Amino acid sequence: MEPIFATGIAAKLRSQWDRDAGLGQNHNAVKFLGQDYGSLRAQCLQTRTLFEDSLFPASGTSLGFNELGPRSSKTQGVRWIRPTEICLHPKFIVDGATRTDICQGALGDCWLLAAIASLTLNENLLHRVVPHGQSFDSGYAGIFHFQFWQFGEWVEVVIDDRLPVKDGKLLFVHSAEGGEFWSALLEKAYAKLNGCYEALSGGSTSEGFEDFTGGVTEIYELNKAPSDLFSIIGRAIERGSLLGCSIHITSNFDMEAVTFKKLVKGHAYSVTGVEEVVYRGNMTKLVRIRNPWGEVEWTGAWSDDSREWDNVDRSVRGRLQNRSEDGEFWMSFSDFLREFSRLEICNLTADALQASQVKKWSTALYQGEWRRGSTAGGCRNYPATFWINPQFKVALQHTDSPGQSECSFLVALMQKNRRKKRREGQDMETIGFAIYEVPREYLGKSGVHLKRDFFLSHASSARSELFINLREVSTRFRLPLGEYVIIPSTFEPHKEADFVLRVFSEKPANSEEMDDKVTADLPDEQHLDEIQIDPGFKNLFRQLAGPDMEISITELQTLLNRIISKHKDLKTDGFGKEACRSMINLMDTDGSGKLGLAEFHVLWEKIKRYLAIFREYDVDKSGTMSSYEMRQALDAAGFKLTNHIFQLIILRYKEENLSVDFDNFVTCLVRLETMFKTFKTIDTDDDGVVSLTFFQWIYLTMFA
């Protein structure tokens, strides 16, 4: 194995071990770019200098690459200035974080600012993102830090406080009062996380919701609301979810235009409660809405001073009616559906909720990747490759309530790090997922990766509403009790991306990645005495081996390449010395570094078997193995491998066109067999674990 390849895999393993040990949780965030806030701040205080961040410099590269690039009029005359130079008495937060601290600048990130505004309504969530104890007073060192949820883990981002200023004013987000800077610094940290300020242009409030909470968002267009939406809202509020609603705008003239019943278009509201009351003998559904501005309230039915309250039981009225102009108001659910256009529900994970929260979502999160040639199978329109996508199982074991037969759950598929790739001209891939019922023979089993034939003969039970080029696709489902497999994919095969798959269920549901267990079911080898070996084979061996009657690496290379050249249907550039060394290492039982007659005979039978498998699974007769042919061929050879190991094999043995030729195919099988046999030899107590000294590790890896 090449050193760089091996060290990269080792780093990945170490990273996974760190995460398994708790790194990436909110109380133990990953240090973005390796920067540690505590040590950097202490260093600045000791040297009496203000922090200057070389990893997000005060220069044009941090602003952007196109609209905010070096040639843009928007960036001409921009200077980077610290708050202490902007005003006499700058403050980090004054009287708590409020919506008026968030005024948009010359950047199209209102989606982000709406999410920050919602965050200010929940102090517990706010301080997960904006840690306590930061100020411009004692201990000021020009350094600040913030925490964001990114694709399954919390990340701590350190920044200096040099902010872009043009014509004497902050270029981007600023507070209405001008002397408060937490929101501008938060925006800078988020820009650093995504590569530059321009990467934040355009987005959905749900994206901000999720990066500030670690929750998962579902979006409902209210003109197509499901029949049980009122129940969904009620159950979400019980679980502490963040709920936002808005009215679509048809043009920029509509932005923040006020309707005749005092609702603001294009403005983010919060949904804070639901209730059913008896009104004139009938049950009436109500929704409580909050305008973050703290004023401008709905004046229609069920508003603060409306007559409807006069026909409600006095005790109910006393509990619900609110007559102050505080931005919070009730409206009927039917008016809510008619007046508002969209509802976004951010469902929080248990760790983000207060301890007093009784009802919590049951959650599972999986990291995955689509890679050309190994796990990027595309959607169901591509049956030859669809099955090679990663597969995840969810077991629905509890119905929503007694007497029902179905379970509610939410599936969310998110592609990672796409904003950062904008600078390279890349954007979102088109993503989605399909859900299949697990066949009876695989119920309760985890070490299974469903193969092509299953998907050719079974229809899906459910699927994402669309394949779409958004950061996240999420859909709520209700399915009968049972086990289901979720297949996330890009629309077309061979599209590379990393993803996070999350499953939220109202009742506990077991879930896991479905993958083959790593096993090797190898046929018994027939070790013949020399007198039992065919005379013709012996004669061939004598000619090659020479007087010492043993075949060296060079002699084996000459023999194999002479034979393989006669098979015109096989594509190969010949067996190299390393491949031949691997074969001798596998078969060399006496440690001579050469093969005797009996050893060579076993190898020869093995290669003939590999050739038969290669020809059988080279379905298109191309003389090479495509990635999905290769996986089936490895299976036929007795090797069951996980997606990750198969991915490494393709990276290691593929040609430029992602195909595997015959010599690489044989080398791969020989190395796999060597690894299995070596481990089995060392694992003397057969418990699947071995312990090695450094000398033993070096000895094995150098000669395997």
Side-chain angles (χ1 to χ4, degrees), residues 316-330:
V316 175
R317 184 166 72 239
R319 183 168 57 88
L320 301 181
Q321 192 179 14
N322 177 6
R323 292 180 178 274
S324 61
E325 184 74 6
D326 59 357
E328 195 158 68
F329 54 87
W330 290 94

Side-chain angles (χ1 to χ4, degrees), residues 661-676:
D661 62 14
F662 183 67
D663 60 283
N664 277 334
F665 177 73
V666 171
T667 307
C668 172
L669 290 175
V670 165
R671 287 187 71 88
L672 276 173
E673 192 170 330
T674 304
M675 300 305 284
F676 273 100

Side-chain angles (χ1 to χ4, degrees), residues 445-501:
K445 296 181 179 177
S446 56
V448 177
H449 185 94
L450 298 175
K451 303 298 188 285
R452 177 184 173 181
D453 289 349
F454 169 81
F455 296 106
L456 291 176
S457 57
H458 291 77
S460 61
S461 301
R463 60 181 189 272
S464 53
E465 198 171 332
L466 296 166
F467 269 78
I468 194 165
N469 59 340
L470 291 176
R471 182 174 89 153
E472 184 171 64
V473 174
S474 68
T475 308
R476 180 184 285 256
F477 301 99
R478 290 186 74 206
L479 289 175
L481 293 176
E483 293 185 7
Y484 298 88
V485 59
I486 304 167
I487 317 285
S489 73
T490 54
F491 184 75
E492 294 178 334
H494 310 309
K495 298 289 186 183
E496 294 206 328
D498 296 327
F499 68 83
V500 169
L501 181 79

Side-chain angles (χ1 to χ4, degrees), residues 209-498:
F209 269 164
E210 293 181 345
D211 286 356
F212 296 149
T213 66
V216 65
T217 303
E218 48 187 324
I219 298 173
Y220 294 95
E221 299 299 334
L222 296 180
N223 61 352
K224 299 184 291 184
S227 58
D228 61 342
L229 182 62
F230 186 79
S231 169
I232 289 171
I233 294 172
R235 297 204 301 275
I237 288 171
E238 280 182 334
R239 287 166 174 76
S241 304
L242 299 183
L243 289 86
C245 58
S246 58
I247 303 170
H248 287 327
I249 58 172
T250 51
S251 72
N252 285 337
F253 296 111
D254 266 355
M255 193 61 185
E256 300 199 344
V258 181
T259 68
F260 79 99
K261 288 186 180 175
K262 294 288 184 76
L263 294 177
V264 185
K265 293 185 176 182
H267 176 57
Y269 287 81
S270 302
V271 179
T272 58
V274 290
E275 196 76 40
E276 282 195 85
V277 300
V278 179
Y279 173 67
R280 292 182 175 172
N282 295 314
M283 295 302 291
T284 298
K285 294 180 171 71
L286 301 180
V287 183
R288 189 174 64 205
I289 312 285
R290 189 178 193 283
N291 180 349
W293 286 356
E295 51 192 35
V296 188
E297 291 187 13
W298 163 252
T299 57
W302 298 99
S303 58
D304 287 3
D305 298 309
S306 68
R307 292 179 183 172
E308 284 78 13
W309 291 108
D310 299 338
N311 294 290
V312 172
D313 179 87
R314 181 180 296 175
S315 64
V316 175
R317 184 166 72 239
R319 183 168 57 88
L320 301 181
Q321 192 179 14
N322 177 6
R323 292 180 178 274
S324 61
E325 184 74 6
D326 59 357
E328 195 158 68
F329 54 87
W330 290 94
M331 65 194 305
S332 73
F333 183 59
S334 55
D335 278 342
F336 171 73
L337 293 178
R338 185 164 46 247
E339 298 288 342
F340 284 91
S341 313
R342 170 179 285 188
L343 173 71
E344 297 180 45
I345 301 177
C346 182
N347 302 288
L348 300 182
T349 51
D351 69 308
L353 296 170
Q354 309 247 344
S356 59
Q357 190 75 42
V358 178
K359 297 194 175 182
K360 298 179 180 179
W361 287 90
S362 176
T363 66
L365 179 148
Y366 299 97
Q367 302 280 355
E369 49 199 356
W370 296 297
R371 290 290 175 265
R372 291 182 69 216
S374 56
T375 54
C379 73
R380 297 179 306 164
N381 296 359
Y382 302 89
T385 55
F386 176 66
W387 66 277
I388 69 173
N389 285 302
Q391 301 176 10
F392 302 87
K393 185 174 76 171
V394 58
L396 305 177
Q397 301 159 309
H398 307 281
T399 58
D400 290 348
S401 54
Q404 291 191 348
S405 62
E406 295 185 317
C407 311
S408 293
F409 67 107
L410 181 65
V411 178
L413 174 64
M414 178 187 290
Q415 52 188 315
K416 296 168 67 172
N417 300 318
R418 303 309 292 190
R419 283 188 181 274
K420 285 183 183 174
K421 294 182 181 291
R422 285 186 179 178
R423 198 187 284 270
E424 303 160 28
Q426 296 182 37
D427 215 322
M428 302 290 181
E429 294 293 351
T430 302
I431 61 170
F433 55 86
I435 301 177
Y436 290 80
E437 192 168 1
V438 172
R440 185 172 295 138
E441 63 268 29
Y442 295 135
L443 288 174
K445 296 181 179 177
S446 56
V448 177
H449 185 94
L450 298 175
K451 303 298 188 285
R452 177 184 173 181
D453 289 349
F454 169 81
F455 296 106
L456 291 176
S457 57
H458 291 77
S460 61
S461 301
R463 60 181 189 272
S464 53
E465 198 171 332
L466 296 166
F467 269 78
I468 194 165
N469 59 340
L470 291 176
R471 182 174 89 153
E472 184 171 64
V473 174
S474 68
T475 308
R476 180 184 285 256
F477 301 99
R478 290 186 74 206
L479 289 175
L481 293 176
E483 293 185 7
Y484 298 88
V485 59
I486 304 167
I487 317 285
S489 73
T490 54
F491 184 75
E492 294 178 334
H494 310 309
K495 298 289 186 183
E496 294 206 328
D498 296 327

